[in-house]
Amino acid sequence: MAEEIRIVQPKEYYKRFLEKDVRPDNRELAEFRPVVLNIGCVTTAEGSALIKIGNTTVICGVKAELAKPDADQPKDGFIVPNVELPPLCSSNFRPGPPGEQAQVLSQTMADVIADSQCLLSESLCICPGKLVWVLHIDLVCLDYDGNVMDACMVALVSALRNTVLPKVTVDEETGDIQTDPTTRVPLQVTCCPVATTFIVFDNKLLLVDPTREEESMATGAVTIVTEGDNLCSIYKPGGTPLTENQIDNCIERAFTHGREVCRLIEDTLLSVDR
Amino acid sequence: MANHIGTVVLPGDVLKDIKPPDGSKKLLLGPGLVEDGDVIKVCKPGILRYRDPGVYWLDCHQKRYVACKGDQVLGIVTQKNVDMFRVDIGCSELASLSYLSFEGATKRNRPDVKVGDVIYAKVLVANKDMEPELVCIDSYGRSSGMGVIRGGGFLIHTSLNLARKLLNPQCVLMKALGNRFKFEIAVGMNGRIWLNTQNDVQTIAIANAIFAAEYMDNDQITSMCKKLSRVMSGME
Amino acid sequence: MPRDSRRLTGPEECFSPYDFCCSAEKKPGVAISDCMEVDNARTDGRISSQLRPVFLRAGVVSQARGSAYIELNQTKVICSVYGPREVLRREDFSLKGQLTCDFKFLTFSCKQRRMHQQDEHEKDMAVRILEAMESSVCLHKYPKSQINIYVMVLQNDGSALSAAILASCVALASAGIEMYDLVLASSVAICGTQMLTDPTAQEEDAILDSSEKVESAGITTMAFLPSVNQVSAVSFDGQVSLDTLKQSQQVCIENCQKIYQVVRQCLVTYAMEKRKLKGR
Amino acid sequence: MAAFTVVKKEDLEAQQKEESVQSLRCITSELGPLTQPDGSAVFTQGDTTALAAVYGPADVKISKELIDRATVEVIYKPKVGLPRPVDRKLERIIKNTLEAAIMALNHPRSLISIVIQETESLGANLACCVNAACMALLDAAVSMNFMVAAVSAAVTDKGEIILDPVSRVEDEARAVLTFVFDSVDKNIVTVITSGQFSQDEYKKCLYLTKQACDNVFSFYKDSLSKKLLKSA
């Protein structure tokens, strides 16, 4: 019977649970789903990571290529993040070019990299004006069960931390390029921004780490990106108006969650041998 | 409450001091006002108006028509179905008009209506969840002036509040124009106005007069009409 | 080619750093000798007729009707199945259900970066998978409806096609789509007299675009229905004599029978788990 | 057409205790510059200008139709070229912001579409677009729960905060925050930030922008009063 109500009147179904401060997947309102992180799983990529938040799964691969820098920024490399939401991950997505949501996610990833300055484009310079690295960071969602933003962020950071580039040298006179795949240099990732997403249910309750179902019923969402003790971004695109206190509360929780996730990433990185 | 009446109110404003007038318990809310729990909220920008007993509404300036029961509107027939016409009255979806809701119409003799005809009708059903339904007969089955408008003419679109202004008995425009010109006019609450005059020049003149009248008070209108008639007599 | 306005794009032309490796270490294409060591053990230490260990798992995508994940050492493929769902456009309405397949190598799944847009090779792969599956799915049971298979290669280390076919087969089965039989697949690389079972990417490259000419070299991939003992699809690239081809196909069938148990086991455990969840 | 211009001089400063950097640039607007849409507005903040047009409630494609509420769509047209992901993000932000404001439940199975043309983007473009869209909605008299006003603030390297920054300040700033408030109890509808900032810097910005948003609301009121009383 319960299942039928869930399908016919999802909102009612959820209300019943939330009255008792518990969610249908017997989590508390402020409880996160278990996280599984696997770093360096794709050896064909220079760096990679796969994260599972509950059912939500995102894989991230970093592929490094060489290119000539822009004339006006001869020292800057290129960082090109792209998020794919393929039809494989949910029936809501159709084949073809990325939809609005995917584009917004890609842009958000790019913004976070820029805001947090966790990877400086200058650090991708090989030979000023001649040669720089192009990092194609491709995030692919394999299972869409909500809160893809947070998942992408963790995958992105872990993959970058995992990335090692072959040593490339440019001959000053001749300008020919020499790659030495045996000696590998890791990327200089300075910090680890972490996103924490909350949704507003029924204009009042705040749920953390929403599932797909919860997202579909949400009347608003807040994503807070923290980096150590600094705020990197507060992203609340419309939805139910919130009071200052509610948002402050979110920020506090985001900070604690941020530290936990950072620790997880560090531990996992230590565990992978390279 | 006096402080609100006649002033401009904006969406989100809460009208606390609106109470049913002593005596009657009833309070009638017109367009632009919604009841939110025990307070009255404004949901459109407009001027608050009041009429006894206890009728409040907003005069708001709007171009898009939203069907409302009892409005007399002008529409254009766009489709013919088995037992009804689809009429474009300028709101979000096409209104339906049954074959039988014309004077003297029966299953046997259907009214002669073609796609593209202009129809003057009354809104019978207006519900946000349903398509609006029109009729061309009053409750006695008479077409009181309603039905297909024949004999040429010209249809112009105006803002809704201009249409309301023209229909307002205080407005002198019609009289003033009537003194000088010979013409037929039908004004729909949906901001569509049908004109039929002796020649195109007059049609254009009157149409312009109507558009110009939007932001004029009565004196200005009368003077404008005088000017217009002078010019016209020069032309004819 | 017009720039993609729906994605963030880097500079116009990029090149892989591995094109500039020291010439001594790598020629264009790999010599077959590289991937064969003495007493025909292979670089990954297998003997020529040895399969790689198969890791197979059903029900990995929570949103999909059915899904599967397969790993042949470094070859990693994920597949999910949606449907039967109603066909979107009315013109391609038919009493027989229609099966579609969408195949993609992730951009970072190969040594050279791949583009986001599906290229010819990927389309071709999709068609091959479709051919392998179609004959086994009872499409007449799904009139007016559509079943979509989506395959993604997370990492390609050879035999991607056979891995993809296995994955789609398990995904379809776990989705409860009616099938006449399971569809198993296996690849064999032929070089000269050698038959390399379940080749790695290195071996595939060596055989397909090797610098020195070999009189007979190629890769056979075969889709096989074990219980009815029939072949649903064969694809071959390269050039060999007819009986070598026959021979290679024989090897494929044998390998498929080896894999059969794994697939079977995987589906059984999946069914069990589901049962348990229902029980609760 | 209800076309006219109201120029807010720096009298805004008077309402604020802050020094001169803490005031909005001069706001001007024109209601109903376009004749075809149901509502339209040009909104100018200093040199930043945006043009917004509203159509609706109009009929909606079956694919987009929602049976219980109106579909709200926002189309953001950049000055040149096709919309890129960055524009899509802007589009999404504005859409969600307005969805909260519009009474979508009043017009089920219909479409309210807002088209915003980037005209001159010289600082606080997002804020300008949101305000323009809100005025256009008011001009079209679409029923709304509340009005929204957007104000942005920049945090310089020295940690000082500048309201409604011009593009040069934005480029040099360490962080730029844009807030959107509702007109009823001044709650936060939208927050968009770029760059790094501390929590109390965020608090400061919030405090200042919250004060400044009143000016925008009073500006709305003046403009609409002029328009409506004129037509009465």
Side-chain angles (χ1 to χ4, degrees):
Chain A
M1 183 54 200
E3 279 310 305
E4 285 74 347
I5 298 177
R6 187 178 198 144
I7 294 157
V8 180
Q9 286 193 313
K11 200 144 190 172
E12 281 310 309
Y13 180 83
Y14 265 81
K15 277 214 186 92
R16 298 263 184 83
F17 278 92
L18 297 174
E19 278 158 10
K20 300 188 174 49
D21 288 340
V22 63
R23 286 146 82 168
D25 52 4
N26 57 51
R27 275 192 289 163
E28 301 190 353
L29 303 195
E31 189 177 340
F32 294 83
R33 288 177 285 179
V35 177
V36 182
L37 184 57
N38 174 357
I39 296 181
C41 46
V42 178
T43 51
T44 46
E46 274 68 32
S48 63
L50 183 139
I51 181 167
K52 249 170 134 10
I53 300 182
N55 287 328
T56 301
T57 315
V58 172
I59 189 168
C60 176
V62 179
K63 204 82 176 119
E65 292 189 312
L66 301 168
K68 208 171 177 316
D70 285 343
D72 47 355
Q73 287 130 342
K75 278 197 173 58
D76 291 11
F78 300 89
I79 305 169
V80 189
N82 268 302
V83 180
E84 296 268 327
L85 299 171
L88 174 138
C89 72
S90 160
S91 52
N92 304 351
F93 304 114
R94 294 258 157 271
E100 190 215 9
Q101 194 184 355
Q103 292 181 47
V104 172
L105 275 168
S106 305
Q107 186 58 43
T108 313
M109 292 300 129
D111 292 350
V112 166
I113 295 174
D115 296 344
S116 68
Q117 302 182 330
C118 60
L119 177 62
L120 298 171
S121 46
E122 295 82 39
S123 69
L124 298 176
C125 178
I126 298 166
C127 173
K130 283 215 184 69
L131 199 67
V132 292
W133 284 108
V134 184
L135 287 190
H136 298 278
I137 307 169
D138 287 298
L139 296 131
V140 183
C141 176
L142 301 179
D143 189 345
Y144 188 101
D145 193 13
N147 203 6
V148 172
M149 171 96 80
D150 296 9
C152 285
M153 198 78 69
V154 181
L156 177 85
V157 174
S158 326
L160 285 176
R161 296 286 298 273
N162 172 246
T163 305
V164 286
L165 304 172
K167 193 163 187 330
V168 175
T169 49
V170 182
D171 191 311
E172 278 313 323
E173 304 79 52
T174 59
D176 3 335
I177 303 159
Q178 213 22 287
T179 308
D180 172 8
T182 52
T183 55
R184 310 181 129 249
V185 276
L187 225 50
Q188 303 159 15
V189 184
T190 51
C191 61
C192 111
V194 179
T196 314
T197 298
F198 305 78
I199 61 151
V200 190
F201 182 86
D202 201 18
N203 293 331
K204 46 184 188 293
L205 285 170
L206 273 173
L207 306 186
V208 77
D209 185 14
T211 64
R212 200 195 93 264
E213 217 174 356
E214 288 162 349
E215 272 182 354
S216 65
M217 278 180 288
T219 58
V222 195
T223 301
I224 289 160
V225 182
T226 61
E227 190 279 299
D229 302 331
N230 258 359
L231 283 162
C232 202
S233 137
I234 303 176
Y235 180 68
K236 181 188 185 305
T240 313
L242 294 180
T243 62
E244 293 171 37
N245 305 354
Q246 280 170 307
I247 292 190
D248 293 346
N249 170 335
C250 293
I251 295 177
E252 288 313 323
R253 281 150 74 178
F255 273 122
T256 39
H257 176 242
R259 288 189 202 90
E260 287 162 14
V261 172
C262 275
R263 206 173 303 119
L264 172 73
I265 295 177
E266 295 300 339
D267 298 351
T268 330
L269 279 166
L270 290 178
S271 66
V272 294
D273 51 292
R274 47 158 20 122
Chain B
M1 91 176 61
N3 57 352
H4 279 308
I5 307 289
T7 62
V8 170
V9 288
L10 294 178
D13 295 2
V14 174
L15 306 177
K16 284 183 208 58
D17 46 11
I18 284 192
K19 282 172 209 61
D22 33 315
S24 74
K25 289 273 135 288
K26 192 113 92 331
L27 181 65
L28 273 172
L29 294 180
L33 299 175
V34 286
E35 196 168 7
D36 178 14
D38 50 358
V39 295
I40 308 242
K41 257 178 65 187
V42 179
C43 69
K44 287 183 180 191
I47 304 164
L48 185 65
R49 303 286 188 199
Y50 173 76
R51 200 180 69 227
D52 284 326
V55 185
Y56 290 89
W57 76 96
L58 287 187
D59 257 353
C60 43
H61 186 294
Q62 153 173 15
K63 288 188 202 161
R64 171 75 59 166
Y65 178 66
V66 177
C68 174
K69 191 174 191 306
D71 281 1
Q72 304 226 329
V73 297
L74 276 164
I76 300 166
V77 180
T78 53
Q79 284 173 35
K80 271 174 131 177
N81 289 3
V82 185
D83 56 354
M84 66 161 105
F85 305 106
R86 306 306 222 119
V87 186
D88 167 23
I89 58 170
C91 62
S92 68
E93 56 195 322
L94 296 177
S96 67
L97 171 60
S98 164
Y99 274 110
L100 297 174
S101 58
F102 287 85
E103 185 176 64
T106 61
K107 283 244 176 294
R108 279 295 155 73
N109 69 347
R110 302 191 146 196
D112 161 36
V113 180
K114 282 176 238 54
V115 170
D117 286 358
V118 176
I119 286 212
Y120 188 62
K122 191 193 226 86
V123 178
L124 180 70
V125 178
N127 180 322
K128 65 182 166 75
D129 299 307
M130 287 190 283
E131 63 180 17
E133 186 182 340
L134 306 177
V135 286
C136 289
I137 42 175
D138 58 17
S139 45
Y140 307 106
R142 301 253 163 53
S143 82
S144 36
M146 293 181 287
V148 181
I149 296 180
R150 295 219 159 68
F154 187 73
L155 194 70
I156 59 175
H157 296 203
T158 69
S159 74
L160 299 189
N161 66 317
L162 177 53
R164 283 201 297 274
K165 188 173 179 177
L166 296 180
L167 293 169
N168 182 338
Q170 269 86 41
C171 178
V172 297
L173 179 66
M174 287 302 128
K175 265 193 218 64
L177 288 171
N179 294 339
R180 172 61 176 74
F181 303 109
K182 204 152 134 288
F183 66 95
E184 294 177 282
I185 188 165
V187 179
M189 285 294 284
N190 57 344
R192 307 240 171 131
I193 296 174
W194 173 84
L195 272 174
N196 193 12
T197 61
Q198 289 158 320
N199 56 44
D200 306 351
V201 183
Q202 288 195 5
T203 311
I204 295 165
I206 292 171
N208 287 335
I210 289 172
F211 284 127
E214 177 148 25
Y215 298 115
M216 291 183 178
D217 58 25
N218 281 344
D219 316 351
Q220 290 169 312
I221 291 175
T222 29
S223 59
M224 171 191 62
C225 291
K226 284 212 182 68
K227 199 132 129 273
L228 185 70
S229 54
R230 236 180 283 116
V231 175
M232 292 298 288
S233 41
M235 291 173 78
E236 285 160 359
Chain C
M1 172 189 156
R3 306 278 275 151
D4 187 343
S5 74
R6 294 197 182 80
R7 290 191 180 85
L8 300 172
T9 45
E12 283 287 357
E13 83 261 64
C14 313
F15 18 76
S16 161
Y18 303 103
D19 302 349
F20 306 101
C21 293
C22 336
S23 49
E25 183 254 336
K26 198 158 173 293
K27 282 188 251 45
V30 201
I32 294 166
S33 48
D34 296 355
C35 46
M36 293 306 301
E37 283 161 7
V38 284
D39 56 55
N40 60 28
R42 294 150 74 175
T43 40
D44 56 1
R46 284 185 291 159
I47 62 163
S48 57
S49 66
Q50 194 179 358
L51 284 163
R52 283 177 288 182
V54 182
F55 173 81
L56 193 55
R57 187 97 185 282
V60 288
V61 179
S62 64
Q63 305 299 312
R65 178 91 186 279
S67 58
Y69 173 76
I70 185 169
E71 233 177 71
L72 309 169
N73 266 356
Q74 291 305 312
T75 300
K76 306 188 174 87
V77 179
I78 188 168
C79 168
S80 69
V81 167
Y82 290 90
R85 49 187 172 192
E86 80 178 303
V87 283
L88 301 164
R89 299 192 310 286
R90 288 190 88 264
E91 54 264 27
D92 47 25
F93 156 93
S94 82
L95 277 172
K96 212 154 159 292
Q98 53 173 272
L99 195 66
T100 73
C101 177
D102 195 77
F103 180 94
K104 188 87 193 76
F105 282 110
L106 291 195
T107 51
F108 48 80
S109 62
C110 310
K111 204 145 181 57
Q112 291 284 351
R113 178 164 187 275
R114 301 191 84 101
M115 287 298 105
H116 286 105
Q117 294 84 355
Q118 205 179 26
D119 61 18
E120 287 314 310
H121 178 212
E122 287 164 332
K123 292 200 180 105
D124 172 53
M125 292 288 261
V127 172
R128 292 189 191 187
I129 296 167
L130 211 52
E131 282 163 351
M133 304 315 295
E134 241 162 0
S135 54
S136 148
V137 179
C138 313
L139 286 169
H140 63 279
K141 298 255 187 166
Y142 304 98
K144 305 183 199 174
S145 52
Q146 183 181 45
I147 298 165
N148 311 88
I149 307 174
Y150 299 111
V151 185
M152 268 194 186
V153 179
L154 307 186
Q155 182 175 349
N156 177 20
D157 189 17
S159 320
L161 179 56
S162 43
I165 292 174
L166 280 167
S168 4
C169 150
V170 174
L172 280 168
S174 63
I177 304 289
E178 296 192 41
M179 295 160 78
Y180 295 109
D181 192 0
L182 293 174
V183 183
L184 306 175
S186 165
S187 316
V188 164
I190 309 157
C191 72
T193 57
Q194 284 288 349
M195 294 263 180
L196 303 180
T197 296
D198 189 8
T200 65
Q202 190 192 13
E203 288 162 344
E204 279 182 352
D205 298 347
I207 286 160
L208 289 181
D209 47 44
S210 72
S211 40
E212 81 263 30
K213 264 275 115 281
V214 201
E215 74 294 335
S216 85
I219 296 170
T220 318
T221 305
M222 177 177 274
F224 177 71
L225 316 180
S227 5
V228 295
N229 193 7
Q230 286 176 349
V231 173
S232 70
V234 182
S235 69
F236 174 81
D237 309 314
Q239 57 168 160
V240 296
S241 64
L242 192 55
D243 46 353
T244 350
L245 183 61
K246 287 218 187 73
Q247 209 179 333
S248 70
Q249 292 172 351
Q250 205 45 52
V251 180
C252 284
I253 291 173
E254 285 157 19
N255 295 333
C256 288
Q257 268 140 354
K258 287 186 201 147
I259 299 168
Y260 184 41
Q261 281 315 317
V262 186
V263 176
R264 203 188 166 73
Q265 190 49 44
C266 155
L267 284 168
V268 169
T269 40
Y270 174 69
M272 288 301 186
E273 282 165 9
K274 248 180 140 178
R275 181 100 134 305
K276 230 185 259 113
L277 284 175
K278 275 241 173 56
R280 276 208 282 99
Chain D
M1 281 303 101
F4 65 90
T5 306
V6 179
V7 181
K8 270 263 173 185
K9 283 278 161 289
E10 254 46 8
D11 60 359
L12 312 168
E13 289 170 39
Q15 306 170 9
Q16 293 175 21
K17 282 122 212 83
E18 268 51 55
E19 58 277 46
S20 62
V21 289
Q22 302 305 12
S23 74
L24 299 178
R25 291 174 286 175
C26 104
I27 307 176
T28 67
S29 86
E30 179 182 349
L31 282 168
L34 307 177
T35 57
Q36 289 315 304
D38 299 317
S40 57
V42 177
F43 192 90
T44 309
Q45 259 173 308
D47 303 333
T48 310
T49 304
L51 166 63
V54 173
Y55 298 85
D59 56 349
V60 57
K61 281 211 238 77
I62 301 296
S63 57
K64 289 194 195 152
E65 184 176 84
L66 303 171
I67 48 132
D68 63 332
R69 56 201 348 282
T71 313
V72 177
E73 92 175 354
V74 169
I75 299 157
Y76 178 82
K77 292 233 172 288
K79 222 191 252 169
V80 287
L82 294 164
R84 317 263 302 118
V86 55
D87 304 315
R88 294 257 176 253
K89 189 176 173 186
L90 211 57
E91 220 169 75
R92 165 71 73 94
I93 293 165
I94 298 170
K95 170 170 173 288
N96 293 357
T97 309
L98 297 177
E99 256 177 349
I102 294 169
M103 272 188 190
L105 296 171
N106 275 19
H107 307 288
R109 298 177 299 104
S110 65
L111 172 75
I112 298 173
S113 86
I114 299 123
V115 185
I116 300 172
Q117 171 65 55
E118 168 188 5
T119 321
E120 198 60 76
S121 167
L122 295 165
N125 184 39
L126 172 60
C128 192
C129 290
V130 171
N131 295 340
C134 182
M135 284 204 100
L137 284 169
L138 290 169
D139 183 48
V142 173
S143 34
M144 297 201 279
N145 299 310
F146 48 76
M147 300 181 292
V148 290
V151 183
S152 38
V155 182
T156 61
D157 299 334
K158 288 187 235 53
E160 64 178 319
I161 289 156
I162 299 175
L163 266 182
D164 192 14
V166 298
S167 46
R168 181 180 46 75
V169 178
E170 269 183 345
D171 301 340
E172 292 163 0
R174 174 152 50 86
V176 178
L177 296 83
T178 304
F179 294 83
V180 181
F181 301 94
D182 71 78
S183 60
V184 180
D185 30 27
K186 303 280 181 299
N187 281 339
I188 302 160
V189 183
T190 300
V191 192
I192 305 299
T193 71
S194 70
Q196 273 182 319
F197 51 94
S198 71
Q199 198 165 348
D200 57 341
E201 280 167 339
Y202 156 77
K203 285 238 169 63
K204 275 212 208 85
C205 294
L206 178 58
Y207 171 74
L208 290 174
T209 49
K210 199 168 196 166
Q211 283 189 322
C213 80
D214 292 334
N215 303 318
V216 181
F217 284 126
S218 53
F219 176 78
Y220 288 164
K221 183 126 190 154
D222 299 352
S223 320
L224 279 144
S225 317
K226 285 230 171 36
K227 169 194 169 192
L228 288 161
L229 295 171
K230 193 163 158 210
S231 64

